[in-house]
Amino acid sequence: MVLPGVYAPQEDTALLAGALSDESLPPGAAVLDVGTGSGALALAAALRGGRVTAVDVSWRAVCAARLNAARAGLRIRVRHGNLFTPVRGESFDLVLANPPYVPAPGAGRRPRGAARAWDAGRDGRMVLDRICLEAPRMLRPGGVLLLVQSALSDPARTEALLREAGLKAAVIRRRRIAFGPVLRGRERWLRQRGLLSLAEHEEELVVVRAELPV
């Protein structure tokens, strides 16, 4: 169930779910799903036996995730708040993140409404940089961060920041997809900024995996 204004599961959700399925997740593992949206990834982790906490800044997303968990008969703790704020002081074996990552025109302008699920500043890193800074402190030794983003928002910077924080980080999955409505609407602007070449007519999504050494 996806309520109006809540990010519906799309190709990036599926790509991250595939990476989740490859992870060794023992029963009872503590899992955090940041920016849960409809709760699709939180549900997938709960089905694997994880003790899942899901967080979203949108109250509609919180309601949708709670409804979907109840319909599936799964116990998921859903919290309203900005990124890691609702779970300060806790630690997790696995952190899942599908944050806003689409570069957007309008310097300094905060996205509103449904656009909060995808717009992320002129370089697409308004939320990604915060996750790279804060997520390492949320991981237990041996814990893993799985993060999906667009190649338009500099995955190499994501890897570098996570390595600087002491994690082992690498891109583990890639997928090219047709431009969706958001990218089609700002394709000219992206080309003018050099984020898209004239030869590119697809977006590349990547999953970055980062592990905190034991």
Side-chain angles (χ1 to χ4, degrees), residues 23-191:
E23 288 294 320
S24 175
L25 192 64
V31 180
L32 175 64
D33 181 22
V34 180
T36 193
S38 65
L41 290 164
L43 294 176
L47 286 169
R48 296 275 307 279
R51 292 184 293 108
V52 181
T53 299
V55 174
D56 206 289
V57 72
S58 162
W59 272 113
R60 289 189 179 188
V62 168
C63 292
R66 287 174 176 168
L67 285 170
N68 287 324
R71 293 178 70 194
L74 295 170
R75 294 188 62 182
I76 294 174
R77 183 177 63 151
V78 186
R79 294 290 181 264
H80 174 258
N82 196 332
L83 288 182
F84 303 104
T85 303
V87 291
R88 286 279 183 250
E90 300 183 44
S91 60
F92 300 88
D93 299 297
L94 177 65
V95 174
L96 303 167
N98 184 359
Y101 53 67
V102 179
R109 191 167 59 199
R110 289 275 173 177
R112 303 185 63 179
R116 290 184 299 177
W118 54 80
D119 280 356
R122 287 181 63 83
D123 61 0
R125 299 203 57 89
M126 185 171 66
V127 180
L128 284 167
D129 283 344
R130 285 187 58 195
I131 291 176
C132 291
L133 176 67
E134 299 178 30
R137 298 196 291 265
M138 308 302 298
L139 293 174
R140 297 173 179 174
V144 170
L145 166 69
L146 292 176
L147 179 151
V148 65
Q149 68 171 92
S150 172
L152 297 173
S153 46
D154 198 354
R157 176 172 170 81
T158 297
E159 292 178 89
L161 290 174
L162 291 169
R163 288 169 184 159
E164 287 175 13
L167 278 64
K168 298 183 290 185
V171 171
I172 59 168
R173 284 184 175 234
R174 298 178 183 270
R175 179 180 298 170
R176 301 194 71 84
I177 63 170
F179 292 159
V182 174
L183 283 193
R184 287 198 301 270
R186 61 191 62 165
E187 182 178 348
R188 181 177 179 183
W189 176 79
L190 290 167
R191 296 194 194 283

